[in-house]
């Protein structure tokens, strides 16, 4: 009975976290629509400036994500210091978030395909391309030849 109660409690915590994440994501999408309209109304110089700021923020966010992943790695490595239920919960939540993110990307494969293809053409690294192919986010036919220097392709969408 205690085991069942602990499992229920850990699942309940995960459901609450997923509901909170879902709410935050929906808010993000709603605000994103408003920002898109605002962006369309900017002149070219303001657009470039804003894009540079967004890229800097994305780099900073990526660094924070890497730090969080390293923290999770340390927690897993220190699993002997954790009790078994905490370790299982940490691993379960981490796997759930990764799985959810990959499934979400796969469900959005059509809309994000131009962006992923452009990103792969811009990066031009075989390892990145093959990882995206294995995840199902990139078609093998979209991979460029490594002998060609990477070029910045035109954007697959128009800002107007």
């Amino acid at each position: 009975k205690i085991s069942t109660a602990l499992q229920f409690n850990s699942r309940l915590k995960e459901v609450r976290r997923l509901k909170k994440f879902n709410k935050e994501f929906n808010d993000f999408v709603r605000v994103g629509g408003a920002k898109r309209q605002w962006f369309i109304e900017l002149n070219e110089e303001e657009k470039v400036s804003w894009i540079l700021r967004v890229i800097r923020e994305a780099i900073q966010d990526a660094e924070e994500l890497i730090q969080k992943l390293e923290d999770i790695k340390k927690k897993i490595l220190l699993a002997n210091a954790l009790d078994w239920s905490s370790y299982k919960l940490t691993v379960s939540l981490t796997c759930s978030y990764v799985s959810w993110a990959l499934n979400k990307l796969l469900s959005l494969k059509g809309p994000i395909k131009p962006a992923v293809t452009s990103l792969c053409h811009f990066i031009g690294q075989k390892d990145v391309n093959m990882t995206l192919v294995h995840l199902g986010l990139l078609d093998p036919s979209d991979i460029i030849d490594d002998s060609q220097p990477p070029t910045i392709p035109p954007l697959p969408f128009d800002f107007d």
Side-chain angles (χ1 to χ4, degrees), residues 67-81:
Q67 182 61 40
K68 286 180 182 179
L69 290 174
E70 288 176 355
D71 290 344
I72 290 172
K73 177 183 171 185
K74 288 176 186 176
K75 286 181 181 178
I76 290 174
L77 291 175
L78 296 174
N80 293 334

Side-chain angles (χ1 to χ4, degrees), residues 8-155:
F8 176 76
N9 193 20
S10 66
R11 289 182 181 147
L12 187 61
K13 285 180 183 179
E14 185 175 354
V15 167
R16 286 181 185 150
R17 287 181 181 162
L18 288 174
K19 282 183 179 181
K20 180 182 175 189
F21 181 80
N22 185 34
K23 181 189 175 299
E24 290 172 356
F25 181 76
N26 288 334
D27 291 345
F28 172 77
V29 169
R30 185 177 39 80
V31 169
K35 283 187 176 183
R36 179 183 180 276
Q37 185 61 34
W38 169 81
F39 184 79
I40 290 171
E41 296 170 359
L42 295 177
N43 64 36
E44 294 300 315
E45 184 178 315
E46 291 171 328
K47 285 180 182 179
V48 169
S49 172
W50 188 79
I51 289 172
L52 287 174
R53 185 181 60 82
V54 168
I55 289 172
R56 286 186 193 110
E57 289 176 3
I59 291 170
Q60 184 179 10
D61 290 345
E63 290 171 353
E64 289 174 8
L65 177 62
I66 290 170
Q67 182 61 40
K68 286 180 182 179
L69 290 174
E70 288 176 355
D71 290 344
I72 290 172
K73 177 183 171 185
K74 288 176 186 176
K75 286 181 181 178
I76 290 174
L77 291 175
L78 296 174
N80 293 334
L82 297 174
D83 63 336
W84 180 243
S85 62
S86 297
Y87 173 74
K88 286 191 338 185
L89 178 63
T90 302
V91 171
S92 175
L93 286 175
T94 303
C95 290
S96 294
Y97 289 140
V98 170
S99 175
W100 179 87
L102 288 175
N103 286 330
K104 194 66 172 177
L105 284 173
L106 286 173
S107 71
L108 297 171
K109 181 181 178 181
I112 66 170
K113 182 179 179 178
V116 171
T117 304
S118 296
L119 182 67
C120 288
H121 286 292
F122 182 68
I123 293 174
Q125 291 189 359
K126 185 181 275 187
D127 293 341
V128 173
N129 294 345
M130 293 312 295
T131 300
L132 291 170
V133 167
H134 289 296
L135 289 174
L137 295 172
L138 182 67
D139 295 326
S141 61
D142 294 332
I143 297 176
I144 61 169
D145 183 17
D146 287 343
S147 63
Q148 300 173 352
T151 58
I152 300 176
L155 293 175

